[in-house]
Amino acid sequence: MEAASHLKNLSADLERALAGLLKLVKALSFYPADHPSLLSTIGKTSSAFQTFLQNHKPAAYHVTQNGFRLDSTPVAPGNLQLQELALKLVERRVRHILFMPKMDQQDLLILAEELAAPLEQTLAAGGLAEQLKQQGLTSIVINETNLQAIFEQLGSPAGAVAEAFDIDPQQLLEKLPEEKPQPSTTEQMRELLEELKAPQSEVAFDKLLGKIRKTAEPFFNETRLTGQLAVFSLLESLHKDQTRSPRQRASANELSSALLTASCRKQLIDALANSDLKSSQRRLLVRLLINFGERIAPDMLQRLYAERDALIRRDYSAVLAKMGEKIFPLLKADLHHTTWHRVRNVVTILGESRLESALPLLAQVVDYPEPRVRRSVIRALAAIGGNQVIPFLIKLTEDADEDLHQPAIQALGGLRRSQAVPPLIDILMRKGPREKQHLLKIEVIRALAATRSPKAIIPLLKIARQRNLLNRKNIETLRAEAILAIGQLGNAKLIPLLEQLPKVEKDPAGRALKQATSQLLKHHVA
């Protein structure tokens, strides 16, 4: 009776965990890396696996196209999700799978990403087992049911393995080789990192850090990025762990800085430009780079300045921007550089920081000689937003380069601030060449609509009501734009005012009137 109850509980827990794994595989293929739905799925699946691993001894599950079996007993027979997951595993040359108690969320993500990868890619690499081996993953054992082989692979103490598998330790010891081979550098480092995760005395903690310091260089040479992410992420976690003593937290941070050599910094920075990097590794790498801050920012800036690929520059700029004010002194030093594209990169970072404290720095380059830099300033001001950027944008609407007037006007409207309405109205009153002023007025009208401010209603109505006795095309076009802008303001109380305007179906203004009225009615119903 007790055995039947245990099997039922095991089946239910495993079913939840595996069904969650399938959902995670699909979510990784569908959502971007930072989407809330993906992060939620990761959390739920990890929780389901932790419940399963804590409540049940490890066992090798047989995988067939029809599902999973423990010995001769089917697990959740008839569950279509488990059948779909089992088929994915079988296609990737998996016949048995075993989840070890030490499996964590990062290991789970690696497994899910490999399952989400194209089948042809996995088979070309030799199957799922080979790919997990290349990733250095030991918490998920594929196609191995022999206890001795598993023991040798994990390098765990015999008693711990015997306890995990619920068998007699003596039976296990009889099967094991008498002499254990010397562990590799990679194995030594993994053992050290596992020990470091557990609470330690100050003396034991210092000894572990000393061993890690000595092992790090050969370990990084063997494992490259995978090993660097493992070591630095753990040290970062220890530095932030409030349950650790202040001394241990400081020591972890000091070791992280010591291991962050010039060679290591270069490898981490170069890795961000690798388009083949797995999303789980990219998320971890980005987080580490941001936390390194000014320790790695100078190298990353130089790499950014030398990069020719716009997409890669965007990734570097995004990371640098998230470092925030602590790298502003570095950026300030390059603001007046004679190389214009270097200055443009700095302006982009300041804008992406979205910090109001970046405005004094941006103010220094509003008059920079190169127009492409000033165009980037407009984008940066628009990204930061707020009333404080309005004076700078107004100045740029009068820039010597007329090509900058339009983006500056659009940025004013995009602020969605009522304070931007008066300067936009002033721009309408400016004098200049008729054709250029006409195009500029169209942009101003659209910007007034973008503010979504009630203060824009009266100036837009004035334009919409403008008399056009000579039937001039430019006036009619402005009237049509103003009417459409009123429709975008979304105030249904404006419908009676629109109905008072002249209606000529074939004119641009007449068509705009019909469209704006319809738009306001829809907004009112919604």
Side-chain angles (χ1 to χ4, degrees), residues 438 441-443 445-446 449 460 463-464 475-488 508-509 512:
H438 175 71
K441 287 180 179 180
I442 291 176
E443 290 302 329
I445 291 170
R446 292 172 180 173
L460 289 173
I463 298 171
I475 294 177
E476 195 65 17
T477 302
L478 292 177
R479 290 185 65 236
E481 288 287 345
I483 292 169
L484 289 173
I486 291 170
Q488 292 172 32

Side-chain angles (χ1 to χ4, degrees), residues 246-487:
R247 183 172 177 275
Q248 289 188 3
R249 293 172 60 197
S251 297
N253 193 46
E254 288 170 6
L255 179 57
S256 178
S257 296
L259 297 182
L260 195 61
T261 61
S263 172
C264 195
R265 293 195 300 271
K266 183 179 185 304
Q267 290 175 23
L268 291 170
I269 292 169
D270 288 346
L272 190 62
N274 182 2
S275 59
D276 295 327
L277 198 64
K278 296 190 178 297
S279 59
S280 60
Q281 289 182 315
R282 183 174 294 277
R283 281 193 297 269
L284 184 54
L285 175 61
V286 166
R287 191 186 77 201
L288 286 173
L289 292 173
I290 293 170
N291 282 315
F292 287 147
E294 60 270 34
R295 290 179 286 175
I296 204 168
D299 301 76
M300 187 174 288
L301 277 170
Q302 295 306 314
R303 178 71 165 80
L304 168 65
Y305 297 151
E307 181 56 54
R308 300 178 65 88
D309 188 303
L311 293 178
I312 296 176
R313 288 203 306 271
R314 183 190 63 187
D315 290 340
Y316 285 136
S317 296
V319 171
L320 287 161
K322 289 179 181 177
M323 293 179 185
E325 292 181 350
K326 56 189 176 184
I327 68 163
F328 279 11
L330 278 173
L331 300 177
K332 183 179 180 180
D334 282 337
L335 263 183
H336 299 284
H337 201 277
T338 53
T339 306
W340 70 267
H341 54 79
R342 177 178 289 213
V343 181
R344 183 181 64 178
N345 286 325
V346 172
V347 169
T348 299
I349 295 168
L350 290 170
E352 289 186 5
S353 75
R354 300 181 185 276
L355 295 174
E356 188 178 324
S357 54
L359 289 179
L361 297 178
L362 290 172
Q364 298 178 29
V365 285
V366 171
D367 295 315
Y368 192 86
E370 171 57 50
R372 282 171 286 191
V373 171
R374 301 201 298 277
R375 184 180 290 272
S376 292
V377 170
I378 293 173
R379 287 195 290 265
L381 292 170
I384 294 171
N387 293 332
Q388 297 84 348
V389 308
I390 292 177
F392 301 113
L393 289 174
I394 292 172
K395 182 175 182 178
L396 287 161
T397 65
E398 301 174 311
D399 194 272
D401 187 337
E402 294 180 350
D403 289 340
L404 298 184
H405 296 176
Q406 178 182 343
I409 291 169
Q410 291 173 341
L412 276 171
L415 295 176
R416 294 196 172 187
R417 298 274 175 163
S418 59
Q419 290 85 347
V421 173
L424 286 171
I425 295 173
D426 290 342
I427 297 172
L428 280 175
M429 301 297 109
R430 287 181 190 169
K431 303 296 183 181
R434 179 176 296 179
E435 185 60 31
K436 289 182 179 178
Q437 284 303 109
H438 175 71
L439 295 175
L440 209 61
K441 287 180 179 180
I442 291 176
E443 290 302 329
V444 171
I445 291 170
R446 292 172 180 173
L448 286 169
T451 65
R452 298 290 193 271
S453 171
K455 291 183 179 180
I457 295 174
I458 293 177
L460 289 173
L461 278 174
K462 285 183 178 179
I463 298 171
R465 288 170 172 167
Q466 189 173 353
R467 297 172 65 85
N468 189 15
L469 298 177
L470 300 178
N471 199 26
R472 290 178 178 171
K473 184 179 179 181
N474 283 357
I475 294 177
E476 195 65 17
T477 302
L478 292 177
R479 290 185 65 236
E481 288 287 345
I483 292 169
L484 289 173
I486 291 170

